[in-house]
Amino acid sequence: MKPGILILALTQLAILGAGAPPRRPPPQAQVRRAPYAAKGDGVADDTAAIQRAIDAVAGTGGTVEIPDGTYLINATAREGKSGLLLGSRMTLRLAPRAVLKAMPSASPGYAIVAVDKATDVTIQGGRIQGDRDTHQGLAGEWGMGLSITASARVRVQGLTVSDCWGDGFYVARACSDLSFDQVVADRNRRQGMSIVGGQDIQVRSSTFRNTQGTPPECGIDVEPNAGETVTRLLIADCTITGNRGGGIAGGPPARYSNSAFFNNSQIVHNLIAGNRGFGIGISACDGNLIKDNTIQATDGYGIHLRTNATGMTVRGNTVTGSTRDGIYLESCPGTVVEGNTVRGNKGRPIRQDRGCGATVGAN
């Protein structure tokens, strides 16, 4: 190209670029400022104010900021099912001492914060607190702190959920690509976390403790319902302690064993201590890995595989201080158990039922 033509072309591009509107940064909505005017004083109902901020930001890639304070949320405000409903392409960021607290109700079920049919959502920091100590009814077990359903690419970081009438965290209906990093579930009534359906879910460096109130009372319960599957789940580097029903439970109820599935997942490098019933209890699943976990002081079995937990690999775990068997293999065809350290348990180190179908190597 001749120099004169090149200069002309560059000049035209510069003129076109100068005429383009500047890119606007994603919006930021601070809920205490106008036009939202949430109070955060632990007295006012802030549900509508915060929802207005969420609706203004959803779909833009922007952020809703929740400053320190206690924000009362009517957890049944939306058709009796949820309090705050997040949208796609947004971040909800809570300050370190920000609390979204459920107002007392008699509802058997609710979600303080819900993500439903949404994508590209981030939730960071702060605390969600349920109403288990002020609940006005006796029925139900479905009062959730954070409920994620039929959604994809959701990131939850540094969030604590406590004192819920049901579960701290609830995941269901074919979610995909979720991550929970450095979250805490404390003193929830039914489960610390329930994973009912989904794929490619990661739970890392998190704590699930003190679950008690109504069964199953587990730290994490992977329990798909009929027609649902949980696959490629990773639970890694977590601390799971003091749960009345068990540490990590996996597998569908027996009545759904031919229509619900928990497959190709990993439970690795977790500390599971001081739980009742079992440290890790797995049933009716296939191809899962239990590796390099430390399981201590279980009031029950350390690891319990039952009801056709097929094709499992149990390797490199340390199981000590259980009041029953360290590892109990009840029904697990094609499972390999090797390289584990099992000592100081009141029952047998490793117990196999006749016909359990497992291969037990050197442990």
Side-chain angles (χ1 to χ4, degrees):
M1 183 180 291
K2 295 181 179 179
I5 297 175
L6 177 60
I7 292 170
L8 178 61
L10 291 174
T11 302
Q12 289 173 336
L13 286 172
I15 292 170
L16 290 172
R23 279 191 173 184
R24 294 182 179 179
Q28 307 286 313
Q30 207 265 49
V31 300
R32 287 201 182 186
R33 296 175 183 163
Y36 314 113
K39 301 297 185 184
D41 59 5
V43 177
D45 179 353
D46 285 321
T47 313
I50 298 175
Q51 189 64 53
R52 284 196 298 271
I54 291 168
D55 294 343
V57 165
T60 69
T63 300
V64 174
E65 299 278 358
I66 313 284
D68 290 337
T70 298
Y71 301 81
L72 295 187
I73 304 299
N74 178 355
T76 61
R78 302 181 68 89
E79 301 178 351
K81 297 179 181 179
S82 66
L84 302 175
L85 179 65
L86 305 188
S88 297
R89 295 184 57 230
M90 65 165 292
T91 294
L92 179 69
R93 181 178 295 131
L94 289 81
R97 292 185 295 278
V99 181
L100 302 177
K101 184 176 181 180
M103 300 169 66
S105 80
S107 175
Y110 57 72
I112 302 169
V113 178
V115 181
D116 182 52
K117 301 183 183 71
T119 57
D120 302 295
V121 181
T122 299
I123 304 169
Q124 297 174 330
R127 181 179 175 190
I128 296 173
Q129 184 176 4
D131 70 338
R132 67 167 296 163
D133 292 329
T134 56
H135 197 72
Q136 297 170 340
L138 298 176
E141 56 189 45
W142 307 285
M144 312 307 187
L146 174 61
S147 171
I148 305 174
T149 52
S151 296
R153 299 187 300 281
V154 180
R155 309 285 176 251
V156 186
Q157 304 164 346
L159 173 68
T160 295
V161 183
S162 67
D163 304 303
C164 291
W165 187 244
D167 305 348
F169 299 89
Y170 179 78
V171 175
R173 291 171 45 212
C175 286
S176 64
D177 191 8
L178 310 186
S179 67
F180 300 84
D181 186 24
Q182 299 183 62
V183 304
V184 176
D186 187 21
R187 200 175 170 268
N188 297 290
R189 185 167 169 264
R190 189 180 74 156
Q191 315 276 33
M193 171 180 278
S194 286
I195 302 175
V196 177
Q199 63 182 10
D200 300 309
I201 300 169
Q202 296 191 1
V203 184
R204 291 181 175 274
S205 303
S206 297
T207 300
F208 302 88
R209 64 191 180 214
N210 304 325
T211 311
Q212 55 85 25
T214 190
E217 302 169 293
C218 294
I220 300 176
D221 188 9
V222 186
E223 188 175 345
N225 290 324
E228 298 212 60
T229 295
V230 176
T231 188
R232 297 191 300 277
L233 166 67
L234 172 67
I235 302 172
D237 300 301
C238 293
T239 300
I240 300 164
T241 62
N243 300 287
R244 180 177 289 178
I248 299 175
R255 65 185 182 278
Y256 299 149
S257 60
N258 293 318
S259 60
F261 305 96
F262 171 38
N263 299 330
N264 302 320
S265 297
Q266 300 182 36
I267 300 171
V268 297
H269 206 260
N270 302 285
L271 172 62
I272 305 168
N275 301 286
R276 296 179 63 182
F278 50 82
I280 299 175
I282 305 292
S283 65
C285 64
D286 183 66
N288 298 322
L289 173 67
I290 301 174
K291 185 174 183 288
D292 295 338
N293 300 283
T294 299
I295 303 168
Q296 301 172 340
T298 304
D299 187 4
Y301 300 111
I303 298 174
H304 185 191
L305 306 184
R306 60 186 178 84
T307 320
N308 289 322
T310 64
M312 302 280 293
T313 299
V314 181
R315 180 181 294 129
N317 303 283
T318 299
V319 184
T320 61
S322 302
T323 63
R324 304 185 77 173
D325 305 319
I327 299 176
Y328 178 23
L329 309 174
E330 186 177 348
S331 174
C332 44
T335 286
V336 175
V337 180
E338 62 184 10
N340 302 284
T341 300
V342 188
R343 63 172 184 268
N345 302 285
K346 289 190 176 179
R348 281 171 276 187
I350 299 177
R351 171 184 167 190
Q352 301 177 69
D353 280 1
R354 181 176 296 177
C356 76
T359 299
V360 179
N363 289 277

